[in-house]
Amino acid sequence: ALDNDKEKINNMNVFPVPDGDTGINMTLTLGAVRKMDKDYTSVGSASSEAASLVLRSARGNSGAILSLFFRGMSKSFEGLESADSDDIAKAIRSGTNEAYRAVSKPAEGTILTVMRGTAEIAEAESEKYKGDPEAFFERLLEGAEEVLEQTPEMLPVLKQANVVDAGGQGFVTMLKGMLASLKGHDVAAV
């Protein structure tokens, strides 16, 4: 999903530096998970391997933030055979916290804001979606999109450029890809 949308995301890239590489960096960072070819017996082992690969492949600010998000999620999933909505909510919060710790002066209106908003929705509504991971991910995606749409109001440079945050857009695109896969419709690179 990120690979397919990388140019769109690159074109939104105005903060912190308008260097047009956020989509590429996020794609290269998450592309590492394609190397996962083992059959995993638990969410803990799969998330650990994914986090390790993503951390080693992190590129740029957005890639570093995304890789730390996955490291935090992996720590939360450690030792779990499977994950329900409560476990996923805790993992998203853990990932968000890990990503925030990596940024010395977090700015509102960035990928971090979208992560935090997603974590808040996950925590507030996980109980409602117990046993229905598709509906839970649909709600997370919907909430992330709502937060993303607010980013220009939080960060003047985005409003001036008439775009949402590129890293936040990449995060939403990633969630869309996850949801598609969860529904059995893996996204193919075009």
Side-chain angles (χ1 to χ4, degrees), residues 129 132-141 179 182-183:
Y129 293 100
D132 193 348
E134 281 185 29
F136 188 50
F137 263 83
E138 286 171 353
R139 177 63 187 115
L140 295 179
L141 175 58
L179 178 59
L182 185 62
K183 290 181 170 188

Side-chain angles (χ1 to χ4, degrees), residues 139-161:
R139 177 63 187 115
L140 295 179
L141 175 58
E142 175 185 289
E145 288 174 326
E146 290 167 2
V147 175
L148 178 66
E149 290 304 315
Q150 297 169 18
T151 61
E153 300 304 319
M154 298 174 204
L155 200 55
V157 69
L158 299 177
K159 190 170 190 164
Q160 184 178 6

Side-chain angles (χ1 to χ4, degrees), residues 4 23 39-40 42 48 57 60 62 74 82 84 94 106 109 131-132 144 150 172 185 187:
N4 293 340
D39 289 326
Y40 295 93
S42 71
S48 177
S57 299
S62 56
S74 175
S82 61
D84 64 15
S94 178
D132 193 348
Q150 297 169 18
V172 165
H185 306 293
V187 179

Side-chain angles (χ1 to χ4, degrees), residues 94-138:
S94 178
T96 299
N97 291 346
E98 191 88 12
Y100 261 93
R101 280 193 288 275
V103 179
S104 59
K105 293 182 181 177
E108 283 299 312
T110 66
I111 185 174
L112 294 171
T113 305
V114 179
M115 287 176 174
R116 187 184 70 235
T118 305
E120 290 168 357
I121 291 163
E123 291 168 331
E125 300 190 24
S126 66
E127 194 64 33
K128 179 178 174 182
Y129 293 100
K130 269 206 182 306
D132 193 348
E134 281 185 29
F136 188 50
F137 263 83
E138 286 171 353

Side-chain angles (χ1 to χ4, degrees), residues 2-159:
L2 276 169
D3 199 20
N4 293 340
D5 282 357
K6 71 180 174 251
E7 290 306 318
K8 172 185 168 187
I9 296 166
N10 284 343
N11 291 334
M12 296 175 165
N13 184 202
V14 297
F15 182 85
V17 178
D19 51 10
D21 64 356
T22 298
I24 291 168
N25 289 336
M26 293 179 88
T27 297
L28 291 172
T29 300
L30 277 187
V33 297
R34 292 181 181 147
K35 297 176 185 170
M36 294 177 64
D37 57 359
K38 299 178 187 174
D39 289 326
Y40 295 93
T41 58
S42 71
V43 69
S45 62
S47 67
S48 177
E49 178 68 12
S52 177
L53 289 168
V54 169
L55 277 166
R56 288 187 298 225
S57 299
R59 302 288 187 275
N61 290 334
S62 56
I65 290 168
L66 195 57
S67 71
L68 292 169
F69 177 80
F70 277 92
R71 181 172 76 179
M73 287 189 70
S74 175
K75 287 178 181 178
S76 186
F77 285 141
E78 190 174 326
L80 294 180
E81 294 296 315
S82 61
D84 64 15
S85 56
D86 288 335
D87 297 320
I88 294 167
K90 289 175 188 168
I92 292 171
R93 171 56 68 195
S94 178
T96 299
N97 291 346
E98 191 88 12
Y100 261 93
R101 280 193 288 275
V103 179
S104 59
K105 293 182 181 177
E108 283 299 312
T110 66
I111 185 174
L112 294 171
T113 305
V114 179
M115 287 176 174
R116 187 184 70 235
T118 305
E120 290 168 357
I121 291 163
E123 291 168 331
E125 300 190 24
S126 66
E127 194 64 33
K128 179 178 174 182
Y129 293 100
K130 269 206 182 306
D132 193 348
E134 281 185 29
F136 188 50
F137 263 83
E138 286 171 353
R139 177 63 187 115
L140 295 179
L141 175 58
E142 175 185 289
E145 288 174 326
E146 290 167 2
V147 175
L148 178 66
E149 290 304 315
Q150 297 169 18
T151 61
E153 300 304 319
M154 298 174 204
L155 200 55
V157 69
L158 299 177
K159 190 170 190 164

